Amino acid sequence: MSLVVEPKVYVDVLTGELTGGRVTESTRTIGGLQGYFLDETVRMAMDQSSPAYRVQAFEPEKEGTPGAICLATTTLYAGMVGDEYFLTRGHFHVNEDRPELEVTVNGTGFLVLMDATGKTWTESMSAGSVHHVPPATAHRVANIGVEPLVFISYWPSETGHDYAPIAERGFGIRVRQVDGKPTVVRS
Ligand code: PAN
Ligand code: ZN
């Protein structure tokens, strides 16, 4: 057996793009974000097949199985539903003590966070910013710029994703355009 093993996955450090046989890819459309925006009438009037974000992932172990660190590049496109900026769905982790790291590659946005008590806060994202998502903390991202917001996430493979609490109750805060400026408001 050769002493040198070539990597199977590459990340373009300038764009965040992942390549390699074990990279999976999924796209979430405007149609797949039913109930996530404040103005459902506006969302329904939009092109339902239009992409809101794309996720490329490298998961060396199956979701929920320990033994690996997973990595994913999210490309959240620029856009608005009414006065609300495009966002990712957001979730808690099933194994509540598992954290996550987000590294911004391109664009500007807000990382929206909520702990188990319902306390919410945000962090500004821009190229190079590094964000620690503590255990038991729901996380979502909103793109407040005109370029795609690209970030790389790292999490343990046994983490698991729980979407239901956010789908049902949201974060209690939203990123909206108020007087022409991105603003975090209570909702
Ligand atoms: C990220 C997210 C990704 C898409 O990789 O899964 O940004 O957001 P939703 O999963 O909330 O739709 C992550 O947080 N992984 O754990
Ligand atoms: Zn996560």
Side-chain angles (χ1 to χ4, degrees), residues 91-93 99-100 102 133 137 139 153 155 159-161 163:
H91 55 264
F92 281 98
H93 289 157
E100 184 165 319
E102 321 282 9
V133 178
T137 305
H139 42 288
S153 308
W155 69 94
T159 292
H161 295 76
Y163 289 92

Side-chain angles (χ1 to χ4, degrees), residues 47-104:
D47 177 357
Q48 300 297 289
S49 66
S50 174
Y53 58 96
R54 178 177 80 129
V55 180
Q56 287 187 295
F58 170 50
E59 299 181 75
E61 292 287 350
K62 272 209 307 213
E63 166 140 351
T65 308
I69 299 293
C70 300
L71 170 160
T73 296
T74 302
T75 302
L76 174 58
Y77 301 109
M80 304 191 79
V81 175
D83 65 7
E84 194 173 1
Y85 296 91
F86 274 14
L87 46 73
T88 58
R89 290 174 297 170
H91 55 264
F92 281 98
H93 289 157
V94 174
N95 287 307
E96 291 174 353
D97 57 350
R98 299 305 191 279
E100 184 165 319
L101 204 61
E102 321 282 9
V103 178
T104 312

Side-chain angles (χ1 to χ4, degrees), residues 36-182:
Y36 282 96
F37 294 95
L38 198 56
D39 199 332
E40 185 61 11
T41 310
V42 170
R43 188 200 64 81
M44 281 177 64
M46 295 168 71
D47 177 357
Q48 300 297 289
S49 66
S50 174
Y53 58 96
R54 178 177 80 129
V55 180
Q56 287 187 295
F58 170 50
E59 299 181 75
E61 292 287 350
K62 272 209 307 213
E63 166 140 351
T65 308
I69 299 293
C70 300
L71 170 160
T73 296
T74 302
T75 302
L76 174 58
Y77 301 109
M80 304 191 79
V81 175
D83 65 7
E84 194 173 1
Y85 296 91
F86 274 14
L87 46 73
T88 58
R89 290 174 297 170
H91 55 264
F92 281 98
H93 289 157
V94 174
N95 287 307
E96 291 174 353
D97 57 350
R98 299 305 191 279
E100 184 165 319
L101 204 61
E102 321 282 9
V103 178
T104 312
V105 174
N106 185 71
T108 53
F110 280 116
L111 174 63
V112 181
L113 299 151
M114 179 173 71
D115 72 13
T117 70
K119 183 185 145 207
T120 49
W121 70 103
T122 61
E123 293 183 13
S124 298
M125 300 174 79
S126 61
S129 65
V130 176
H131 307 271
H132 169 62
V133 178
T137 305
H139 42 288
R140 154 183 290 168
V141 164
N143 182 350
I144 60 168
V146 293
E147 290 179 37
L149 174 60
V150 183
F151 59 96
I152 304 178
S153 308
Y154 306 84
W155 69 94
S157 52
E158 70 276 18
T159 292
H161 295 76
D162 183 10
Y163 289 92
I166 298 300
E168 285 158 20
R169 294 184 290 281
F171 278 78
I173 54 175
R174 291 181 179 276
V175 185
R176 300 171 69 178
Q177 193 175 65
V178 178
D179 296 333
K181 283 196 224 114

